[in-house]
Amino acid sequence: MRLLIVAVGRLKAGPERELCARYLDRAGKGGRSLGLSGPDVIEIHESAARRPEDRMADEGAGLIAALPEAGAVLALDPRGAEMTSEQIAADLAALRDYGARQLTFVIGGADGLSEAVRGRADRLIAFGRATFPHQLVRVMMAEQIYRATTILAGHPYHKA
């Protein structure tokens, strides 16, 4: 199953980009033996619209256009369900075992996700109720994908 992150904004050079790349590399290496490929990243341009509603609509259109036609979509949204790392790993494994060819993680911009993106998602999840910069959310998502591969592999990295 191919893993994909579709995110608004570009990670600029710096510690967030380096950390994200490190986790994605580790997830890619660990995922191969688990039947996972990627994770790959598609970056969507941030909207320059003045109103938050217009920015969310513009970015939402870009996110939806980047989504593969088939496969599951998990979108990060503060109103989504809070999931443990074990639950994320179990969902990933269940989709893989069910025969899903793709799992896409969607990360919106600073204003959040449009209703169109929320409606396209199979599940909305949150990393708690606190507000985080979307650049950090991308690092957190990359780490959770890596953590899921370690959980599924039975690696001692994860200390439950």
Side-chain angles (χ1 to χ4, degrees), residues 25-132:
D25 182 58
R26 289 178 181 176
K29 289 175 181 171
R32 281 184 223 134
S33 65
L34 300 168
L36 305 172
S37 67
D40 299 311
V41 177
I42 297 175
E43 296 178 326
I44 305 302
H45 293 287
E46 294 178 70
S47 173
R50 289 182 174 227
R51 296 180 340 128
E53 300 83 18
D54 296 336
R55 285 192 299 269
M56 284 191 302
D58 290 349
E59 292 167 355
L63 290 168
I64 289 173
L67 294 176
E69 288 184 30
V73 176
L74 187 150
L76 294 162
D77 185 279
R79 293 172 279 180
E82 292 184 31
M83 296 177 68
T84 66
S85 298
E86 292 87 353
Q87 289 170 318
I88 293 171
D91 275 7
L92 195 153
L95 287 165
R96 177 202 60 198
D97 296 347
Y98 181 72
R101 301 188 76 197
Q102 178 106 12
L103 173 57
T104 303
F105 300 92
V106 176
I107 303 170
D111 298 303
L113 297 172
S114 67
E115 288 301 320
V117 175
R118 282 191 196 93
R120 173 66 175 83
D122 296 296
R123 178 176 281 195
L124 299 174
I125 69 165
F127 288 151
R129 299 294 174 222
T131 301
F132 298 102

